[in-house]
Amino acid sequence: MANSTTAKTKPAAAPAQPASLMSIVAPAVGWLIPGAGHIIQRRWIRGGLLFVSIGTLFVLGLMMQGHIYKANGGDILDILGFVGDLGAGGMYITTLAMNWGQGAIAFAIADYGTKFMIVAGLLNFIAVADAYHIAIGKKQ
Amino acid sequence: MTIQLTHFSAAFVFALFASIVFGITHRETTRDMLRYGLYCFAMFLGGVLLAGWAMWLVRR
């Protein structure tokens, strides 16, 4: 007797989307400049809001004397801090180039500043993923 | 140039901008984005206030 589960037909898999140029360019540009991945896909308001939100968080973090992490192979929290900061893309590169965010954390608000910059980077990772989903047609 | 925010204003600013990004990236339609952003903002600030009062009670 045949197993009834084997008789069920599997639903046809969705056809694979060919990788378009936009699906590569939008995340890359979005990482470099927060919100730009949306703007080049004509999502002007979303891109602008992402730019202002992520940019303001990062700049406020710097102004609060937050610490910026560099590439390191030491403490796990330092490595995670670096990964978070790296998400800010161009802002992170500029900050490193200008040697900002290198002071010692002397008060509680400065520690908040450090977290602001890490979260700005992590939020930009989410924005980059969103730009990619728009580029491949998974989201409008 | 440095800036000194209070603990609450820092939490407020954080909640505001994080909620905007969450709203835009986690929902499809504009209406849903707005609703989810407001929900996240309320959760962030509500959590801050709740945790603050809980710590005040523990301290007494």
Side-chain angles (χ1 to χ4, degrees):
Chain A
M1 193 170 120
N3 190 348
S4 62
T5 55
T6 56
K8 289 180 182 172
T9 54
K10 288 182 180 176
Q17 293 261 349
S20 65
L21 183 65
M22 187 58 83
S23 67
I24 297 164
V25 171
V29 173
W31 173 73
L32 209 56
I33 305 167
H38 288 72
I39 288 172
I40 62 169
Q41 297 181 87
R42 299 178 186 279
R43 268 69 174 185
W44 309 107
I45 297 174
R46 283 190 232 174
L49 283 171
L50 287 172
F51 178 78
V52 169
S53 301
I54 295 169
T56 305
L57 264 186
F58 193 89
V59 171
L60 277 178
L62 268 182
M63 291 169 71
M64 290 158 75
Q65 306 290 299
H67 176 75
I68 199 96
Y69 291 95
K70 292 178 180 174
N72 64 85
D75 183 24
I76 185 72
L77 290 177
D78 286 352
I79 297 170
L80 291 174
F82 166 68
V83 171
D85 281 346
L86 190 64
M91 292 188 297
Y92 175 68
I93 294 167
T94 305
T95 304
L96 277 189
M98 302 299 287
N99 210 24
W100 292 331
Q102 300 300 323
I105 295 172
F107 45 94
I109 293 296
D111 193 39
Y112 286 180
T114 303
K115 303 301 180 285
F116 269 37
M117 289 190 284
I118 292 173
V119 169
L122 295 175
L123 289 174
N124 197 36
F125 278 134
I126 300 175
V128 164
D130 194 54
Y132 175 73
H133 285 150
I134 293 171
I136 63 172
K138 193 174 176 182
K139 185 180 177 186
Q140 287 303 308
Chain B
M1 184 180 170
T2 61
I3 188 169
Q4 286 275 359
L5 297 178
T6 63
H7 292 263
F8 183 75
S9 57
F12 183 91
V13 168
F14 179 92
L16 177 69
F17 293 124
S19 301
I20 291 171
V21 177
F22 280 180
I24 290 171
T25 56
H26 284 66
R27 290 294 181 269
E28 293 278 339
T29 64
T30 306
R31 183 183 166 83
D32 286 347
M33 286 176 187
L34 193 61
R35 284 166 62 102
Y36 189 65
L38 287 171
Y39 171 77
C40 288
F41 183 71
M43 287 294 121
F44 273 129
L45 270 197
V48 164
L49 291 173
L50 204 65
W53 280 109
M55 285 188 280
W56 180 79
L57 284 173
V58 167
R59 186 168 172 259
R60 281 173 67 88

